[in-house]
Amino acid sequence: MDSDRSGVLTEVSVQEPKANPRGKAVAGAAPPPVVISTKATTTSNPKGGWRRGFAIFDLVLRLCGIAVALAATAIMGTTQQTLPFFTQFFQFQAQYNDLPTFTFFVIANAIASGYLVLSLPFSIICIVRPHLRGLRILLIILDTLMIGLAMAAAASAATIADLAQNGNSNANWAPICQQFDDFCQSITEAVQSSFAVAVIFILLVVFSSLALRRN
Amino acid sequence: MDSDRSGVLTEVSVQEPKANPRGKAVAGAAPPPVVISTKATTTSNPKGGWRRGFAIFDLVLRLCGIAVALAATAIMGTTQQTLPFFTQFFQFQAQYNDLPTFTFFVIANAIASGYLVLSLPFSIICIVRPHLRGLRILLIILDTLMIGLAMAAAASAATIADLAQNGNSNANWAPICQQFDDFCQSITEAVQSSFAVAVIFILLVVFSSLALRRN
């Protein structure tokens, strides 16, 4: 009997009482009564409500995640800046694929966007059937992998963005943002968006875990 | 009634049958029998076994994680290299706090080590009482946060390690590993250890989620 769905657990037991323990027939006595007991236990089921609430929040988070991840991908993928002067040796043009970290950033955020889009139907199924535990666990596992991917992309790009901004005198790496200010502005926005994507994935795992509490 | 713990669900109901529906006293009849029904439902409980297995695996993973995170912290924190020559302007000495990324790396891995040590008692409780769902969810949430921290540390340090190894001609950042080869060897090992820590945290979340399957 699935107590999750009904909310009211009704148990009906029909019992034939055993014969008179004395083993004697009683003249004129009515046949032993059949005892029908109906035990209605009202298990209050407010849990389905919050579980569906979590599922709706999950869907909203995924929609936000898609928007933010696409924004991060687009900002990083389209930014480029060419300085209005050049020398014999340098072209003074900056775009994302000048640095392998930013290429990884674009690929990782594109994967995150695609995954979030593909996960939408499963999130909707979790709203319709909030007690599907296996599907939610599958989403937790995939979201966990995506935390790793999104955080790796955001952190590595943030490292390069910081280096481009401030440089490092110990390693003799000069900052480049004094020249490529627009480029640096764009990659900073993309990095912030990517951190937001990672946080969204963390929230997805946290709320999905909370939705797995005991009924 | 907690069917998880006992494995055998025993329901005892004592029912007083109602009076004779004809409403007449029967001379010489025995008093209406009290019906005592004992319903023993044997719910097979093989799941406690795999759940405890997951909990033991969780503990082993945490012990491995402590070792690897401490190794990453120690390798990165203790590595330094001083070149046997110097000029008027440069000292040619490299250690982890020359780069803020590596300082973050050491702090993050130290936090991961400390968290793993502190989480050991909870993991042991999960072995002793494998059905404690709330504690496991708490561990999932904290492990998820740690994935973010460990992955951010590993990815940012890997970015700098790659830059130290290969440089970047577009940004005019020269590689430094040709001089500081021992230093670069150490930070590569530390970065690999830190990625292993992140993977261990991911495995912890995955297996804890699987342990939350329905009974």
Side-chain angles (χ1 to χ4, degrees), chain B residues 20-116:
Chain B
N20 191 326
R22 293 179 186 176
K24 296 174 183 174
V26 181
V34 175
V35 180
I36 300 176
S37 77
T38 303
K39 187 170 70 176
T41 310
T42 305
T43 58
S44 64
N45 190 13
K47 307 284 179 63
W50 62 254
R51 205 170 284 240
R52 184 165 280 129
F54 274 130
I56 293 172
F57 188 60
D58 183 280
L59 181 65
V60 172
L61 271 180
R62 282 178 202 279
L63 291 172
C64 293
I66 291 171
V68 179
L70 281 179
T73 311
I75 292 172
M76 183 65 88
T78 58
T79 185
Q80 67 173 14
Q81 184 179 5
T82 306
L83 295 189
F85 53 89
F86 56 90
T87 69
Q88 186 179 359
F89 301 107
F90 295 108
Q91 194 185 353
F92 295 125
Q93 183 186 26
Q95 58 185 9
Y96 79 93
N97 54 11
D98 288 336
L99 291 148
T101 301
F102 292 154
T103 307
F104 168 64
F105 180 94
V106 170
I107 294 171
N109 276 286
I111 291 174
S113 312
Y115 162 75
L116 282 169

Side-chain angles (χ1 to χ4, degrees), chain A residues 63-87:
Chain A
L63 290 171
C64 294
I66 291 170
V68 180
L70 281 179
T73 312
I75 293 172
M76 182 65 88
T78 58
T79 184
Q80 67 174 15
Q81 185 177 7
T82 306
L83 296 190
F85 53 88
F86 58 90
T87 68

